[in-house]
């Protein structure tokens, strides 16, 4: 390990090694082959840095890498890697489809006579940080907003007051953290208070 | 430990750590890791506020400006993050698994003795034996950087002797949810 000790003027602190991480899979470059995006990792590195690419993927490097593993085991490993990659791609496709199909439900719930809360469910599918966006709502409407679990155990945002219309507008305009959330996926519903004898 | 970990559901709160507690953590780390005061000071300066992020199942993650520095399970030993071990590979005693074991480790599996005792693996010599219950950095055959961290389930000499079952329990590894968590 090449740990370069560079003493500073007053401190004897050992300076850290800067590991180069892959921009695609976030692993140290040498571990890309075990990730689920090996082809993309290689392409990206070939573009970014030819020398490093050669370091890891030249014929010579590939020979050395075999180590104590048998050729047979190595080819199995490569097969596994290819299968893993195909699986990851399929999964990403499915996830994207699911994302584009997933709904955001904005529900106006009557609590007491003419007192409402608004619950928003499904924003997390679009990569929105629920806690942060709850804060955004609280600030915008000067009211209480929190992230809670609904009876199904899923996270949702509950805002005090009837702000469903405003939230639909915010999503349409892509305000703040709501940028990129598709307005077509928004569904508005109303939950009336059940009255005895109704 | 971090195979399925999501900050939105698994974090119960963040608090700043009292100075007296910080002192005892600092001395704990100095005695548990091989690190000198100056280097620790450069990683975690005394003047900077340390934040304790309390998580499910008694996991405590300590962060500096949102970046996880080290963590602890119950009041067990302190583990640096894997990224910190990449920067300072000498913090924990090292072992190595053979190439065949890498993909199992990256799926979160514990490390069986044969993967450590085979030709591609490495355990320290008898006079530098690592005792059971010690945090270790797990390196991998043919790789420069650590692939994960774990805790020994038996003495390394015993691993050599029995050569079966789990030798090291994997605690965190490349690509798990702690790895994905660069800021908290
Ligand atoms: Zn990569």
């Amino acid at each position: 390990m090449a740990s370069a000790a560079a003493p500073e003027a007053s401190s004897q602190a050992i300076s850290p090694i800067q590991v180069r991480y892959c921009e695609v899979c976030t692993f140290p470059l040498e571990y890309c082959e075990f990730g689920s995006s090996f082809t993309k990792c290689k392409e990206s590195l070939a573009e970014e840095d030819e020398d490093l690419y050669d370091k890891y993927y030249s014929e010579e490097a590939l020979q050395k890498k075999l180590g104590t593993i048998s050729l047979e085991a190595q080819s199995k490993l490569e097969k596994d890697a290819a299968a893993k990659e195909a699986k990851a791609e399929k999964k990403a496709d499915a996830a994207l489809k699911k994302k584009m199909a997933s709904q955001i439900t904005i529900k106006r719930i009557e609590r007491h006579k003419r007192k409402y809360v608004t619950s928003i469910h499904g924003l997390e599918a679009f990569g929105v940080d629920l806690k942060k966006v709850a804060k955004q709502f609280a600030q915008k409407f000067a009211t209480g907003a929190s992230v809670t679990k609904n009876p199904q155990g899923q996270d949702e945002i509950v805002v005090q007051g009837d702000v469903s219309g405003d939230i639909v507008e915010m999503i349409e305009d892509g305000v703040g953290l709501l940028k990129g959330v598709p307005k077509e996926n928004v569904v508005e519903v109303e939950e009336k208070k059940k009255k005895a004898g109704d | 430990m971090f195979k399925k970990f999501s900050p939105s559901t698994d974090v119960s709160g963040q608090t700043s750590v009292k100075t007296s507690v910080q002192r005892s953590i600092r001395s704990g780390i100095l005695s548990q890791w091989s690190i000198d005061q100056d280097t620790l000071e450069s990683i975690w300066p005394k003047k900077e506020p340390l934040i304790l992020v309390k998580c499910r199942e008694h996991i405590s993650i300590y962060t500096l400006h949102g970046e996880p520095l080290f963590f602890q399970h119950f009041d067990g030993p302190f583990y640096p993050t894997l990224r910190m071990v990449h920067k300072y590979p000498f913090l924990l005693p090292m072992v190595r698994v053979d190439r065949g074991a890498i993909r199992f480790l990256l799926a979160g599996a514990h490390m069986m003795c044969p993967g450590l005792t085979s030709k591609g693996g490495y355990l320290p010599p008898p006079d530098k034996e690592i005792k059971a219950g010690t945090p270790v950095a797990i390196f991998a055959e043919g790789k420069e950087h650590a692939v994960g961290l774990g805790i020994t389930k038996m003495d390394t000499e015993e691993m050599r002797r029995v050569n079966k079952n789990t030798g090291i329990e994997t605690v965190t590894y490349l690509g798990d949810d702690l790895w994905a968590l660069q800021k908290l």
Side-chain angles (χ1 to χ4, degrees):
Chain A
M1 261 144 277
S3 65
E8 288 166 30
S10 59
S11 158
Q12 292 293 311
I14 298 168
S15 42
I17 297 173
Q18 296 302 337
V19 176
R20 177 85 178 257
Y21 294 118
C22 172
E23 283 172 22
V24 180
C25 71
T26 77
F27 288 7
L29 294 173
E30 55 180 359
Y31 285 103
C32 283
E33 55 169 329
F34 288 99
S36 53
S37 53
F38 191 30
T39 314
K40 281 203 195 99
C41 293
K42 265 164 83 173
E43 279 170 8
S44 152
L45 187 63
E47 260 172 47
E48 297 274 318
D49 197 324
E50 215 174 307
D51 291 344
L52 268 178
Y53 183 86
D54 283 344
K55 178 179 169 192
Y56 291 112
Y57 305 119
S58 67
E59 270 307 310
E60 198 185 350
L62 293 179
Q63 279 300 323
K64 230 168 86 189
K65 198 174 70 180
L66 283 177
T68 61
I69 207 170
S70 70
L71 267 175
E72 200 181 335
Q74 176 62 21
S75 78
K76 171 153 186 353
L77 213 82
E78 274 162 19
K79 244 192 218 155
D80 280 358
K84 208 168 163 188
E85 216 171 312
K87 206 168 142 193
E89 256 167 45
K90 235 176 165 176
K91 207 167 147 192
D93 266 5
L96 186 69
K97 261 193 199 138
K98 197 173 158 200
K99 179 173 157 181
M100 289 339 281
S102 75
Q103 283 185 341
I104 302 147
T105 317
I106 299 181
K107 204 193 271 181
R108 188 170 86 143
I109 307 167
E110 191 173 11
R111 274 288 148 87
H112 300 289
K113 240 189 172 49
R114 303 187 54 89
K115 287 246 196 260
Y116 297 94
V117 295
T118 308
S119 84
I120 304 102
H121 169 72
L123 280 174
E124 69 282 357
F126 301 94
V128 175
D129 185 319
L130 295 185
K131 272 189 188 160
K132 283 188 188 147
V133 86
K135 214 170 187 180
Q136 186 185 330
F137 290 150
Q139 265 160 8
K140 159 123 191 175
F141 305 119
T143 179
S146 60
V147 179
T148 52
K149 283 212 189 307
N150 65 13
Q152 287 81 45
Q154 299 158 320
D155 281 336
E156 59 180 30
I157 300 173
V158 176
V159 187
Q160 300 304 315
D162 175 15
V163 291
S164 48
D166 302 88
I167 287 175
V168 173
E169 259 174 47
M170 284 173 84
I171 292 176
E172 278 172 358
D173 300 343
V175 181
L177 298 163
L178 296 169
K179 202 171 167 196
V181 176
K183 58 177 187 232
E184 299 78 22
N185 295 28
V186 176
V187 185
E188 269 187 278
V189 293
E190 188 150 347
E191 189 176 292
K192 281 257 195 263
K193 197 174 174 178
K194 288 184 196 101
K195 288 178 199 141
D198 240 23
Chain B
M1 202 177 283
F2 298 101
K3 200 169 178 177
K4 283 246 154 64
F5 184 89
S6 140
S8 68
T9 54
D10 295 329
V11 170
S12 56
Q14 301 207 7
T15 50
S16 57
V17 182
K18 272 195 288 186
T19 325
S20 59
V21 180
Q22 291 202 31
R23 253 200 309 275
S24 75
I25 294 174
R26 201 174 285 273
S27 70
I29 286 178
L30 284 169
S31 71
Q32 290 167 25
W33 302 354
S34 44
I35 190 171
D36 60 87
Q37 284 199 6
D38 281 353
T39 307
L40 183 58
E41 172 72 23
S42 73
I43 297 172
W44 167 27
K46 283 196 184 75
K47 287 185 186 122
E48 311 268 347
L50 189 72
I51 303 292
L52 162 61
V53 182
K54 280 193 190 146
C55 311
R56 59 146 161 91
E57 287 163 23
H58 302 275
I59 297 172
S60 305
I61 303 177
Y62 294 88
T63 65
L64 193 66
H65 308 303
E67 185 192 343
L69 284 187
F70 47 90
F71 59 94
Q72 188 180 26
H73 190 215
F74 285 93
D75 51 2
F78 292 102
Y79 293 90
T81 59
L82 186 52
R83 276 194 177 78
M84 200 197 288
V85 170
H86 286 159
K87 287 185 186 143
Y88 304 95
F90 48 81
L91 295 179
L92 300 178
M94 71 90 86
V95 299
R96 192 171 65 222
V97 296
D98 60 29
R99 189 171 157 82
I102 300 177
R103 65 195 179 96
F104 294 106
L105 203 159
L106 291 177
H110 297 321
M111 290 295 96
M112 300 294 177
C113 292
L116 293 151
T117 57
S118 70
K119 202 170 152 219
Y122 170 85
L123 292 172
D127 59 318
K128 297 214 170 92
E129 182 190 33
I130 305 170
K131 290 286 174 200
T134 311
V136 290
I138 307 171
F139 287 76
E141 179 185 7
K143 304 291 180 199
E144 189 182 350
H145 306 293
V147 59
L149 307 180
I151 184 162
T152 48
K153 292 315 282 178
M154 47 177 112
D155 303 345
T156 47
E157 281 310 291
E158 198 183 343
M159 292 181 203
R160 259 194 261 269
R161 206 167 49 242
V162 301
N163 204 21
K164 61 175 180 195
N165 303 332
T166 299
I168 292 170
E169 247 175 49
T170 304
V171 171
T172 179
Y173 54 91
L174 274 183
D176 70 359
D177 288 339
L178 180 62
W179 176 262
L181 204 70
Q182 302 204 34
K183 285 264 170 185
L184 245 175

PDB file of all heavy atoms in Angstrom, chain A residues 94-117:
ATOM      1  N   ALA A  94     -37.644  -1.865 -15.473  1.00  0.00           N
ATOM      2  CA  ALA A  94     -38.895  -2.108 -14.751  1.00  0.00           C
ATOM      3  C   ALA A  94     -39.143  -0.984 -13.752  1.00  0.00           C
ATOM      4  O   ALA A  94     -40.273  -0.502 -13.596  1.00  0.00           O
ATOM      5  CB  ALA A  94     -38.842  -3.459 -14.042  1.00  0.00           C
ATOM      6  N   ALA A  95     -38.056  -0.549 -13.104  1.00  0.00           N
ATOM      7  CA  ALA A  95     -38.189   0.504 -12.089  1.00  0.00           C
ATOM      8  C   ALA A  95     -38.653   1.798 -12.740  1.00  0.00           C
ATOM      9  O   ALA A  95     -39.504   2.506 -12.196  1.00  0.00           O
ATOM     10  CB  ALA A  95     -36.857   0.715 -11.378  1.00  0.00           C
ATOM     11  N   LEU A  96     -38.103   2.073 -13.926  1.00  0.00           N
ATOM     12  CA  LEU A  96     -38.471   3.295 -14.629  1.00  0.00           C
ATOM     13  C   LEU A  96     -39.945   3.241 -15.030  1.00  0.00           C
ATOM     14  O   LEU A  96     -40.694   4.199 -14.861  1.00  0.00           O
ATOM     15  CB  LEU A  96     -37.594   3.478 -15.868  1.00  0.00           C
ATOM     16  CG  LEU A  96     -37.792   4.799 -16.601  1.00  0.00           C
ATOM     17  CD1 LEU A  96     -37.255   5.952 -15.760  1.00  0.00           C
ATOM     18  CD2 LEU A  96     -37.114   4.789 -17.959  1.00  0.00           C
ATOM     19  N   LYS A  97     -40.347   2.075 -15.550  1.00  0.00           N
ATOM     20  CA  LYS A  97     -41.751   1.897 -15.944  1.00  0.00           C
ATOM     21  C   LYS A  97     -42.655   2.110 -14.751  1.00  0.00           C
ATOM     22  O   LYS A  97     -43.680   2.788 -14.832  1.00  0.00           O
ATOM     23  CB  LYS A  97     -41.949   0.484 -16.513  1.00  0.00           C
ATOM     24  CG  LYS A  97     -41.941   0.480 -18.032  1.00  0.00           C
ATOM     25  CD  LYS A  97     -42.456  -0.853 -18.554  1.00  0.00           C
ATOM     26  CE  LYS A  97     -42.023  -1.032 -20.009  1.00  0.00           C
ATOM     27  NZ  LYS A  97     -41.572  -2.386 -20.286  1.00  0.00           N
ATOM     28  N   LYS A  98     -42.258   1.487 -13.638  1.00  0.00           N
ATOM     29  CA  LYS A  98     -43.054   1.564 -12.432  1.00  0.00           C
ATOM     30  C   LYS A  98     -43.151   3.009 -11.966  1.00  0.00           C
ATOM     31  O   LYS A  98     -44.205   3.493 -11.569  1.00  0.00           O
ATOM     32  CB  LYS A  98     -42.402   0.700 -11.344  1.00  0.00           C
ATOM     33  CG  LYS A  98     -43.341   0.391 -10.208  1.00  0.00           C
ATOM     34  CD  LYS A  98     -42.729  -0.590  -9.239  1.00  0.00           C
ATOM     35  CE  LYS A  98     -43.418  -0.473  -7.900  1.00  0.00           C
ATOM     36  NZ  LYS A  98     -42.622  -1.015  -6.809  1.00  0.00           N
ATOM     37  N   LYS A  99     -42.014   3.685 -12.075  1.00  0.00           N
ATOM     38  CA  LYS A  99     -41.969   5.070 -11.637  1.00  0.00           C
ATOM     39  C   LYS A  99     -42.918   5.918 -12.476  1.00  0.00           C
ATOM     40  O   LYS A  99     -43.689   6.718 -11.955  1.00  0.00           O
ATOM     41  CB  LYS A  99     -40.529   5.574 -11.777  1.00  0.00           C
ATOM     42  CG  LYS A  99     -40.332   7.006 -11.371  1.00  0.00           C
ATOM     43  CD  LYS A  99     -38.857   7.351 -11.388  1.00  0.00           C
ATOM     44  CE  LYS A  99     -38.671   8.838 -11.548  1.00  0.00           C
ATOM     45  NZ  LYS A  99     -37.246   9.185 -11.588  1.00  0.00           N
ATOM     46  N   MET A 100     -42.864   5.709 -13.782  1.00  0.00           N
ATOM     47  CA  MET A 100     -43.699   6.530 -14.631  1.00  0.00           C
ATOM     48  C   MET A 100     -45.183   6.198 -14.428  1.00  0.00           C
ATOM     49  O   MET A 100     -46.039   7.003 -14.735  1.00  0.00           O
ATOM     50  CB  MET A 100     -43.308   6.341 -16.107  1.00  0.00           C
ATOM     51  CG  MET A 100     -41.969   6.966 -16.467  1.00  0.00           C
ATOM     52  SD  MET A 100     -41.350   8.267 -15.368  1.00  0.00           S
ATOM     53  CE  MET A 100     -42.309   9.671 -15.915  1.00  0.00           C
ATOM     54  N   ALA A 101     -45.458   5.006 -13.909  1.00  0.00           N
ATOM     55  CA  ALA A 101     -46.850   4.615 -13.722  1.00  0.00           C
ATOM     56  C   ALA A 101     -47.342   4.895 -12.305  1.00  0.00           C
ATOM     57  O   ALA A 101     -48.528   4.823 -12.030  1.00  0.00           O
ATOM     58  CB  ALA A 101     -47.009   3.134 -14.033  1.00  0.00           C
ATOM     59  N   SER A 102     -46.407   5.210 -11.400  1.00  0.00           N
ATOM     60  CA  SER A 102     -46.837   5.319 -10.008  1.00  0.00           C
ATOM     61  C   SER A 102     -47.571   6.634  -9.761  1.00  0.00           C
ATOM     62  O   SER A 102     -47.273   7.658 -10.359  1.00  0.00           O
ATOM     63  CB  SER A 102     -45.641   5.190  -9.073  1.00  0.00           C
ATOM     64  OG  SER A 102     -44.893   6.363  -9.098  1.00  0.00           O
ATOM     65  N   GLN A 103     -48.549   6.540  -8.906  1.00  0.00           N
ATOM     66  CA  GLN A 103     -49.419   7.694  -8.681  1.00  0.00           C
ATOM     67  C   GLN A 103     -49.036   8.481  -7.446  1.00  0.00           C
ATOM     68  O   GLN A 103     -48.493   7.955  -6.498  1.00  0.00           O
ATOM     69  CB  GLN A 103     -50.852   7.196  -8.479  1.00  0.00           C
ATOM     70  CG  GLN A 103     -51.518   6.805  -9.768  1.00  0.00           C
ATOM     71  CD  GLN A 103     -52.954   6.449  -9.553  1.00  0.00           C
ATOM     72  OE1 GLN A 103     -53.374   6.159  -8.431  1.00  0.00           O
ATOM     73  NE2 GLN A 103     -53.721   6.458 -10.617  1.00  0.00           N
ATOM     74  N   ILE A 104     -49.358   9.746  -7.503  1.00  0.00           N
ATOM     75  CA  ILE A 104     -49.259  10.574  -6.313  1.00  0.00           C
ATOM     76  C   ILE A 104     -50.695  10.870  -5.900  1.00  0.00           C
ATOM     77  O   ILE A 104     -51.463  11.419  -6.690  1.00  0.00           O
ATOM     78  CB  ILE A 104     -48.536  11.894  -6.608  1.00  0.00           C
ATOM     79  CG1 ILE A 104     -47.132  11.605  -7.170  1.00  0.00           C
ATOM     80  CG2 ILE A 104     -48.458  12.760  -5.360  1.00  0.00           C
ATOM     81  CD1 ILE A 104     -46.703  12.635  -8.160  1.00  0.00           C
ATOM     82  N   THR A 105     -51.054  10.465  -4.723  1.00  0.00           N
ATOM     83  CA  THR A 105     -52.417  10.692  -4.273  1.00  0.00           C
ATOM     84  C   THR A 105     -52.454  11.872  -3.322  1.00  0.00           C
ATOM     85  O   THR A 105     -51.740  11.891  -2.332  1.00  0.00           O
ATOM     86  CB  THR A 105     -52.942   9.444  -3.523  1.00  0.00           C
ATOM     87  OG1 THR A 105     -52.539   8.291  -4.250  1.00  0.00           O
ATOM     88  CG2 THR A 105     -54.445   9.482  -3.393  1.00  0.00           C
ATOM     89  N   ILE A 106     -53.261  12.845  -3.662  1.00  0.00           N
ATOM     90  CA  ILE A 106     -53.445  13.970  -2.760  1.00  0.00           C
ATOM     91  C   ILE A 106     -54.858  13.869  -2.215  1.00  0.00           C
ATOM     92  O   ILE A 106     -55.836  13.910  -2.959  1.00  0.00           O
ATOM     93  CB  ILE A 106     -53.232  15.307  -3.494  1.00  0.00           C
ATOM     94  CG1 ILE A 106     -51.798  15.345  -4.029  1.00  0.00           C
ATOM     95  CG2 ILE A 106     -53.510  16.480  -2.551  1.00  0.00           C
ATOM     96  CD1 ILE A 106     -51.453  16.600  -4.752  1.00  0.00           C
ATOM     97  N   LYS A 107     -54.948  13.689  -0.917  1.00  0.00           N
ATOM     98  CA  LYS A 107     -56.239  13.394  -0.320  1.00  0.00           C
ATOM     99  C   LYS A 107     -56.644  14.507   0.641  1.00  0.00           C
ATOM    100  O   LYS A 107     -55.853  14.921   1.482  1.00  0.00           O
ATOM    101  CB  LYS A 107     -56.107  12.073   0.439  1.00  0.00           C
ATOM    102  CG  LYS A 107     -57.426  11.339   0.615  1.00  0.00           C
ATOM    103  CD  LYS A 107     -57.280  10.223   1.630  1.00  0.00           C
ATOM    104  CE  LYS A 107     -56.852   8.901   1.031  1.00  0.00           C
ATOM    105  NZ  LYS A 107     -56.740   7.847   2.053  1.00  0.00           N
ATOM    106  N   ARG A 108     -57.879  14.979   0.450  1.00  0.00           N
ATOM    107  CA  ARG A 108     -58.404  15.956   1.398  1.00  0.00           C
ATOM    108  C   ARG A 108     -59.233  15.179   2.411  1.00  0.00           C
ATOM    109  O   ARG A 108     -60.186  14.496   2.040  1.00  0.00           O
ATOM    110  CB  ARG A 108     -59.270  16.967   0.656  1.00  0.00           C
ATOM    111  CG  ARG A 108     -59.704  18.115   1.522  1.00  0.00           C
ATOM    112  CD  ARG A 108     -60.329  19.177   0.666  1.00  0.00           C
ATOM    113  NE  ARG A 108     -61.748  18.893   0.465  1.00  0.00           N
ATOM    114  CZ  ARG A 108     -62.672  19.847   0.422  1.00  0.00           C
ATOM    115  NH1 ARG A 108     -62.343  21.107   0.548  1.00  0.00           N
ATOM    116  NH2 ARG A 108     -63.939  19.532   0.227  1.00  0.00           N
ATOM    117  N   ILE A 109     -58.839  15.269   3.654  1.00  0.00           N
ATOM    118  CA  ILE A 109     -59.516  14.474   4.678  1.00  0.00           C
ATOM    119  C   ILE A 109     -60.218  15.398   5.651  1.00  0.00           C
ATOM    120  O   ILE A 109     -59.612  16.322   6.208  1.00  0.00           O
ATOM    121  CB  ILE A 109     -58.498  13.598   5.455  1.00  0.00           C
ATOM    122  CG1 ILE A 109     -57.664  12.764   4.470  1.00  0.00           C
ATOM    123  CG2 ILE A 109     -59.202  12.715   6.453  1.00  0.00           C
ATOM    124  CD1 ILE A 109     -56.443  12.126   5.082  1.00  0.00           C
ATOM    125  N   GLU A 110     -61.515  15.139   5.862  1.00  0.00           N
ATOM    126  CA  GLU A 110     -62.252  15.958   6.804  1.00  0.00           C
ATOM    127  C   GLU A 110     -62.031  15.409   8.201  1.00  0.00           C
ATOM    128  O   GLU A 110     -62.229  14.234   8.461  1.00  0.00           O
ATOM    129  CB  GLU A 110     -63.750  15.928   6.454  1.00  0.00           C
ATOM    130  CG  GLU A 110     -64.533  16.962   7.225  1.00  0.00           C
ATOM    131  CD  GLU A 110     -65.985  17.050   6.769  1.00  0.00           C
ATOM    132  OE1 GLU A 110     -66.426  16.170   6.005  1.00  0.00           O
ATOM    133  OE2 GLU A 110     -66.666  17.983   7.200  1.00  0.00           O
ATOM    134  N   ARG A 111     -61.612  16.290   9.104  1.00  0.00           N
ATOM    135  CA  ARG A 111     -61.344  15.845  10.463  1.00  0.00           C
ATOM    136  C   ARG A 111     -62.531  16.175  11.371  1.00  0.00           C
ATOM    137  O   ARG A 111     -63.086  15.319  12.025  1.00  0.00           O
ATOM    138  CB  ARG A 111     -60.080  16.547  10.995  1.00  0.00           C
ATOM    139  CG  ARG A 111     -58.817  15.847  10.621  1.00  0.00           C
ATOM    140  CD  ARG A 111     -58.650  14.558  11.409  1.00  0.00           C
ATOM    141  NE  ARG A 111     -57.948  13.527  10.646  1.00  0.00           N
ATOM    142  CZ  ARG A 111     -56.646  13.393  10.591  1.00  0.00           C
ATOM    143  NH1 ARG A 111     -55.867  14.206  11.252  1.00  0.00           N
ATOM    144  NH2 ARG A 111     -56.095  12.429   9.893  1.00  0.00           N
ATOM    145  N   HIS A 112     -62.865  17.446  11.427  1.00  0.00           N
ATOM    146  CA  HIS A 112     -64.072  17.890  12.128  1.00  0.00           C
ATOM    147  C   HIS A 112     -64.871  18.655  11.110  1.00  0.00           C
ATOM    148  O   HIS A 112     -64.466  18.786   9.963  1.00  0.00           O
ATOM    149  CB  HIS A 112     -63.709  18.788  13.312  1.00  0.00           C
ATOM    150  CG  HIS A 112     -62.851  18.094  14.314  1.00  0.00           C
ATOM    151  ND1 HIS A 112     -63.310  17.101  15.127  1.00  0.00           N
ATOM    152  CD2 HIS A 112     -61.540  18.244  14.585  1.00  0.00           C
ATOM    153  CE1 HIS A 112     -62.321  16.674  15.867  1.00  0.00           C
ATOM    154  NE2 HIS A 112     -61.234  17.349  15.556  1.00  0.00           N
ATOM    155  N   LYS A 113     -65.977  19.199  11.524  1.00  0.00           N
ATOM    156  CA  LYS A 113     -66.746  20.007  10.587  1.00  0.00           C
ATOM    157  C   LYS A 113     -65.853  21.107  10.029  1.00  0.00           C
ATOM    158  O   LYS A 113     -65.306  21.906  10.770  1.00  0.00           O
ATOM    159  CB  LYS A 113     -67.929  20.633  11.336  1.00  0.00           C
ATOM    160  CG  LYS A 113     -69.248  20.206  10.743  1.00  0.00           C
ATOM    161  CD  LYS A 113     -70.407  20.978  11.336  1.00  0.00           C
ATOM    162  CE  LYS A 113     -71.699  20.709  10.636  1.00  0.00           C
ATOM    163  NZ  LYS A 113     -72.064  19.341  10.415  1.00  0.00           N
ATOM    164  N   ARG A 114     -65.694  21.073   8.731  1.00  0.00           N
ATOM    165  CA  ARG A 114     -64.935  22.108   8.028  1.00  0.00           C
ATOM    166  C   ARG A 114     -63.478  22.221   8.476  1.00  0.00           C
ATOM    167  O   ARG A 114     -62.841  23.246   8.297  1.00  0.00           O
ATOM    168  CB  ARG A 114     -65.644  23.468   8.159  1.00  0.00           C
ATOM    169  CG  ARG A 114     -67.067  23.434   7.629  1.00  0.00           C
ATOM    170  CD  ARG A 114     -67.681  24.815   7.610  1.00  0.00           C
ATOM    171  NE  ARG A 114     -66.857  25.771   6.874  1.00  0.00           N
ATOM    172  CZ  ARG A 114     -66.982  25.981   5.576  1.00  0.00           C
ATOM    173  NH1 ARG A 114     -67.847  25.287   4.870  1.00  0.00           N
ATOM    174  NH2 ARG A 114     -66.228  26.884   4.980  1.00  0.00           N
ATOM    175  N   LYS A 115     -62.997  21.176   9.121  1.00  0.00           N
ATOM    176  CA  LYS A 115     -61.549  21.170   9.435  1.00  0.00           C
ATOM    177  C   LYS A 115     -60.937  20.025   8.628  1.00  0.00           C
ATOM    178  O   LYS A 115     -61.423  18.900   8.662  1.00  0.00           O
ATOM    179  CB  LYS A 115     -61.320  20.898  10.928  1.00  0.00           C
ATOM    180  CG  LYS A 115     -61.668  22.066  11.807  1.00  0.00           C
ATOM    181  CD  LYS A 115     -60.415  22.603  12.469  1.00  0.00           C
ATOM    182  CE  LYS A 115     -60.734  23.489  13.639  1.00  0.00           C
ATOM    183  NZ  LYS A 115     -60.662  24.885  13.390  1.00  0.00           N
ATOM    184  N   TYR A 116     -59.860  20.350   7.915  1.00  0.00           N
ATOM    185  CA  TYR A 116     -59.298  19.358   7.010  1.00  0.00           C
ATOM    186  C   TYR A 116     -57.802  19.149   7.253  1.00  0.00           C
ATOM    187  O   TYR A 116     -57.121  20.025   7.777  1.00  0.00           O
ATOM    188  CB  TYR A 116     -59.468  19.817   5.558  1.00  0.00           C
ATOM    189  CG  TYR A 116     -60.906  19.945   5.141  1.00  0.00           C
ATOM    190  CD1 TYR A 116     -61.567  21.173   5.229  1.00  0.00           C
ATOM    191  CD2 TYR A 116     -61.605  18.847   4.651  1.00  0.00           C
ATOM    192  CE1 TYR A 116     -62.880  21.295   4.842  1.00  0.00           C
ATOM    193  CE2 TYR A 116     -62.926  18.963   4.257  1.00  0.00           C
ATOM    194  CZ  TYR A 116     -63.567  20.190   4.357  1.00  0.00           C
ATOM    195  OH  TYR A 116     -64.863  20.294   3.974  1.00  0.00           O
ATOM    196  N   VAL A 117     -57.331  17.970   6.864  1.00  0.00           N
ATOM    197  CA  VAL A 117     -55.898  17.798   6.664  1.00  0.00           C
ATOM    198  C   VAL A 117     -55.718  17.280   5.233  1.00  0.00           C
ATOM    199  O   VAL A 117     -56.644  16.731   4.648  1.00  0.00           O
ATOM    200  CB  VAL A 117     -55.257  16.794   7.658  1.00  0.00           C
ATOM    201  CG1 VAL A 117     -55.344  17.313   9.070  1.00  0.00           C
ATOM    202  CG2 VAL A 117     -55.858  15.425   7.514  1.00  0.00           C
TER     203      VAL A 117
END
